[in-house]
Amino acid sequence: MAKQNVAEQFVDILVRAGVKRLYGVVGDSLNPVVDAIRRTKGIDWIHVRHEEVAAFAAGAEAQITGGLAACAGSCGPGNLHLINGLYDAHRSMAPVLALASQIPSSEIGLSYFQETHPDQLFRECSHYSELISSPKQMPRLLHTAIQHAVGRGGVSVVSLPGDVADQPAPEKAVESALVTTRPTVRPGDAEVDALVRMIDDADRVTLFCGSGTAGAHAEVMQFAERIKAPVGHALRGKEWIQYANPYDVGMSGLLGYGAAYEATHECDLLILLGTDFPYNAFLPDDVKIVQVDVRAEHLGRRSRLDLAVWGDVRETLRCVIPRVRAKKDRRFLDKMLKKHADALEGVVKAYTRKVEKHTPIHPEYVAAMIDELADEDAVFTVDTGMCNVWAARYLTPNGRRRIIGSFSHGSMANALPQAIGAQFTDLNRQVVSLSGDGGFSMLMGDFLTLVQYDLPVKVVVFNNSSLGMVELEMMVAGLPSYGTTNKNPDFAAIARAAGAHGIRVEKPKQLAGALKEAFKHKGPALVDVVTDPNALSIPPKIKADMVTGFALSASKIVLDGGVGRMLQMARSNLRNVPRP
């Protein structure tokens, strides 16, 4: 039996860690690893057209599966292209292992062709970034990288010179056990006792939820009922907490709607559950605040805290719910539910008039139609910018759907690459990319990856021929829009030329049929929808503190875009409000 080389041993360890594919663009320094993958069962090389796409795809796969995903780039320019997607994965706490191939080890430090120092370059967007300089070092270093990515939730980067990858592996390398899942964390008794006392002493409690509530929906609902608390959420908390939620008061933040802002400011105790919500301007500074988070470094970095609780949301609530005194007074909850429904009613009126006849097509109408026609377990990937607005307000979570975007890093062009990673996890699950024309055209080359692998991703391009969110930012700041116009081709024609199914929609009456046709198509499909570039409106009063923001409450809505089926949810919740 031929002796293993380092590349083969490297690939074997990835397989043991649960990695099923390596996204990347092949290059000379990567050749030993790619060849090892070719000869190894249980793992595939996924050839994308740009390494940034490889990193985005791996990050999306990790978010969908919860397991380790991987990407790779060849030396110098190749692995440099990974950096934006790795920043996104790291800030999304997606466990990703990146292989940054390196120049020949004997040439490092001598300004060799394509020389960079990836072990240094990637440190800011990773928990661990190290160079493998000898075969004996590789197994333990790779094990350590995997444990960092899985255990801490984020990126690890391993730099491997091509010549080292091709050397014989150590004969008796130790096969250490690999941790591939994270434990649950219970807070200490003192913190639980303090939290129970604060809740019992408060008259009006509000819960504000983020992505850390994943897997804790039942506990949050039970907790809200017990203490009669309205429940708001950040954008990353939407998919985990908004569905089947009779206490929902909407979303706070730059794209906020409903009564979430009022609920967080009019309470006397605000409990932040699993959220690293970055916009402290939307958080109150005159109420007591408790934060519960499994990442200790997140506690208190956005706002002043009266109590910091280090633990999983689910485990923390399981400790607290049996001990906290049930509240009977629901006046505050009912008041916020009514405010929420009233706010949504007002917004909906702004966009419902003749929307099915308006040309160019209202983007709100497109988003609402996607939400209505998409599968109940669909994965939506969402471009940064105006597509974030439509996702926040129109995509209806149900506990089975997923919504993936660059919600923490805020990168353009993320939706198509993330759709690639999401689709590879399950070729039978519907994946829909909500792409802006700016984001889609930035990494449009990897539409060819969909065709090459016959991935049945459905790309819906919101084609308003502009960078809409940037135009809005300029308008809010009192600046004329400049440099924001796109001269776009017929994207559907490009899709057809590439070998995919392409449909262009210019009239509202064509939309439903086009989406149904695309969703039924067995392979990749693109729907190019010409949308209204003027589907933005500024509130009648703009205050100085809104120059760099969008709104500080639901009553200061910058984007008069409606909220889709969320109004129905709010109306349904109002049935639980006692009438005088």
Side-chain angles (χ1 to χ4, degrees), residues 189-244:
D189 291 338
E191 285 72 27
V192 173
D193 292 342
L195 178 54
V196 170
R197 286 194 300 270
M198 292 180 72
I199 295 169
D200 286 345
D201 291 343
D203 294 322
R204 304 180 306 279
V205 183
T206 292
L207 309 181
F208 187 69
C209 302
S211 60
T213 57
H217 184 276
E219 286 79 8
V220 173
M221 295 303 104
Q222 185 181 358
F223 186 45
E225 168 57 31
R226 190 164 182 83
I227 65 174
K228 305 299 184 288
V231 178
H233 63 270
L235 180 54
R236 290 192 65 198
K238 174 184 173 73
E239 62 178 332
W240 305 115
I241 215 67
Q242 189 188 33
Y243 70 95

